[in-house]
Amino acid sequence: MSIIEIAQKTRVSARKLAVLSADAKNQAIEAIAKALEAAAPDIVAANAADCKAAQADGIAKPLYDRLKLDESKLKSAIAGVRDVAKLPDPIGVVQIHRELDTGLILKRITCPLGVLGIIFEARPEALIQIVSLAIKSGNGVILKGGKEAVRSCEILTKVIHQALAETAVNPEVVQLLTTREETIELLKMDEYVDLIIPRGSNSFVRFVQENTRIPVLGHADGICHLYADTAADIQKAVDISVDAKTQYPAACNAIETLLVHRAIAPKFLPTVAEALQQKKVELRGDEKTRVILKNIAEAAETDWSTEYSDLILSIKIVDSVEEAINHINTYGSRHTDVIVTEDSETAETFLNGVDAAGVYHNCSTRFADGFRYGFGAEVGISTQQMPPRGPVGLEGLITYKYRVVGDGHVAASYVGKDAKEFTHRDL
């Protein structure tokens, strides 16, 4: 099929999905979970073949980490699928119920967006998350994985199609593209595709944003910060720093810069440096930091605006929380930033002053995740100012329509000398 035919079939199937009951959608999601469990050995084997081929091609370590889908990662993804099924149905929710006048009733009701175009590098588990969220929200989805994940994406799509064939959901609501040429064509499908969600590198996301007229949800950078305040609990700050940098360094919510108040720097820096270096983290510091940590590399200006996605961390000493906030708002990507402090007023200053989708106090930035937020899964993370913002779950995949029901009402009755008045009474 041509890309236009694929898009047309997806839209037709999505319109049928949009009116299915919550039970029918949940049954389809559970069928997918069971099918993925049954096919787990084949899925892991296909992914292992992708990983082997990618290593032979010299894939970068951060991308390889995202590509790998082992048994543990697959099991977690399947748990996420089932969590999506447990969520309330986001479709058909009455957000506004208002009498405009006697017998003239307005309702604002949630409905699906239509067709989603999801383009991602590596991350085969993203396919699983997105399909479950798309079905729950009544949307069709056209998926395009990177060439490094083609075997993984093909078997996952095959398993999902087989599962849906036994349910009320038409398998054609889920489509998979496999070539770069199809990606370019997909970005031109504004007649059939309602939202593009890219997941990948900075350059990849920017390419998508610059080459489509379709609305794009996502983020190009994940430059996250941890600020250790003068009132920080030292051990708490060490533990959070190590987790936020090393628990999964390829993730977009891993910290790239550590800011340290000068008052605690002499005590905190040697301790945190030792803990980080035990985890093989390469440290780079500003001039003040290198007076204390004499054997680390010098941080260049470009380091403050670099997403390493690797075991590299830049460190800067600051004189105040205000300087920390200014640094973050200057170099950050509005993703997720954290303050470690026992001073609640300073914490409040930080949380109010930092312009980011996620602002944390005394906890790791690694919690910036749809699954951990209780969204079941996420389609991506958005750092744009307009909502949805942060980890995007079902709420980012719905829109709404206004329904007005009257009984012969006409607008002319509400203008002129004897104009009727609106009641505007919430029901």
Side-chain angles (χ1 to χ4, degrees), residues 354-423:
V354 170
D355 180 12
V359 284
Y360 291 9
H361 178 203
N362 285 354
C363 57
S364 172
T365 55
R366 289 284 292 124
F367 286 107
D369 176 83
F371 178 75
R372 292 180 174 131
Y373 279 10
F375 297 168
E378 69 183 31
V379 292
I381 291 183
S382 173
T383 57
Q384 61 192 17
Q385 293 296 94
M386 295 294 290
R389 201 178 190 202
V392 179
L394 290 173
E395 83 288 349
L397 304 181
I398 61 170
T399 183
Y400 51 78
K401 59 178 70 174
Y402 289 95
R403 295 185 188 177
V404 180
V405 178
D407 186 18
H409 293 74
V410 293
S413 303
Y414 299 86
V415 296
K417 182 180 177 182
D418 298 316
K420 295 181 67 178
E421 292 187 1
F422 291 104
T423 58

Side-chain angles (χ1 to χ4, degrees), residues 5-27:
E5 290 173 321
I6 290 172
Q8 289 172 334
K9 283 182 177 292
T10 309
R11 182 165 286 282
V12 170
S13 301
R15 285 174 177 157
K16 294 177 181 177
L17 171 61
V19 297
L20 287 181
S21 68
D23 284 344
K25 291 185 292 186
N26 289 338
Q27 287 167 9

Side-chain angles (χ1 to χ4, degrees), residues 68-380:
K68 191 173 182 180
L69 182 63
D70 56 20
E71 290 182 18
S72 174
K73 220 172 180 181
L74 178 58
K75 186 176 181 180
S76 177
I78 294 170
V81 171
R82 289 200 164 101
D83 283 342
V84 169
K86 296 174 187 175
L87 295 172
D89 190 354
I91 303 304
V93 177
V94 179
Q95 297 179 325
I96 296 175
H97 188 193
R98 182 171 297 155
E99 177 192 86
L100 305 183
D101 194 6
T102 303
L104 186 62
I105 307 300
L106 165 72
K107 288 183 179 180
R108 189 170 81 185
I109 301 178
T110 58
C111 60
L113 286 173
V115 175
L116 315 174
I118 316 294
I119 311 171
F120 53 96
E121 292 178 318
R123 305 174 188 266
E125 80 276 12
L127 185 153
I128 300 170
Q129 296 175 345
I130 290 162
V131 167
S132 60
L133 288 168
I135 291 173
K136 183 78 175 189
S137 58
N139 290 291
V141 60
I142 302 174
L143 302 150
K144 170 59 178 72
K147 64 178 182 178
E148 68 284 344
V150 66
R151 299 172 186 84
S152 305
C153 292
E154 285 178 340
I155 191 167
L156 287 170
T157 304
K158 178 182 176 181
V159 170
I160 289 168
H161 279 173
Q162 290 172 342
L164 293 179
E166 304 298 321
T167 74
V169 177
N170 188 330
E172 290 183 347
V173 297
V174 179
Q175 301 283 354
L176 178 67
L177 309 180
T178 56
T179 69
R180 178 178 172 81
E181 290 71 27
E182 288 174 320
T183 303
I184 303 300
E185 288 301 309
L186 177 64
L187 296 178
K188 299 175 183 177
M189 294 286 121
D190 53 299
E191 183 179 351
Y192 303 106
V193 178
D194 300 284
L195 180 69
I196 295 286
I197 303 176
R199 297 184 66 170
S201 66
N202 183 328
S203 58
F204 169 73
V205 174
R206 291 196 185 281
F207 172 83
V208 171
Q209 292 171 333
E210 294 167 2
N211 287 275
T212 187
R213 292 182 296 182
I214 304 168
V216 177
L217 185 152
H219 72 284
D221 300 295
I223 303 172
C224 303
H225 301 76
L226 185 148
Y227 166 56
D229 180 54
T230 183
D233 178 299
I234 297 295
Q235 191 56 51
K236 194 179 291 184
V238 170
D239 292 343
I240 294 172
S241 298
V242 171
D243 183 86
K245 178 71 256 186
T246 70
Q247 198 268 335
Y248 187 15
C252 60
N253 58 14
I255 60 168
E256 308 294 7
T257 298
L258 175 62
L259 303 173
V260 182
H261 193 286
R262 61 178 174 81
I264 67 164
K267 182 177 181 182
F268 172 65
L269 281 177
T271 306
V272 75
E274 181 182 1
L276 288 165
Q277 288 170 335
Q278 284 179 356
K279 296 282 189 176
K280 310 298 183 185
V281 178
E282 175 192 332
L283 302 178
R284 301 175 184 179
D286 69 343
E287 185 177 345
K288 293 178 182 177
T289 298
R290 294 176 72 234
V291 170
I292 300 170
L293 303 177
K294 300 183 184 302
N295 296 320
I296 69 170
E298 181 181 359
E301 176 68 19
T302 54
D303 282 302
W304 310 126
S305 54
T306 297
E307 181 180 11
Y308 302 115
S309 298
D310 204 351
L311 291 172
I312 304 172
L313 182 68
S314 296
I315 305 174
K316 181 179 182 180
I317 292 176
V318 296
D319 291 333
S320 64
V321 65
E322 288 78 16
E323 186 180 348
I325 292 169
N326 183 60
H327 178 98
I328 293 169
N329 289 341
T330 300
Y331 296 101
S333 60
R334 299 177 177 178
H335 193 298
T336 306
D337 304 288
V338 58
I339 181 174
V340 180
T341 185
E342 300 305 303
D343 186 318
S344 59
E345 287 188 15
T346 301
E348 197 66 19
T349 297
F350 182 92
L351 299 177
N352 289 332
V354 170
D355 180 12
V359 284
Y360 291 9
H361 178 203
N362 285 354
C363 57
S364 172
T365 55
R366 289 284 292 124
F367 286 107
D369 176 83
F371 178 75
R372 292 180 174 131
Y373 279 10
F375 297 168
E378 69 183 31
V379 292

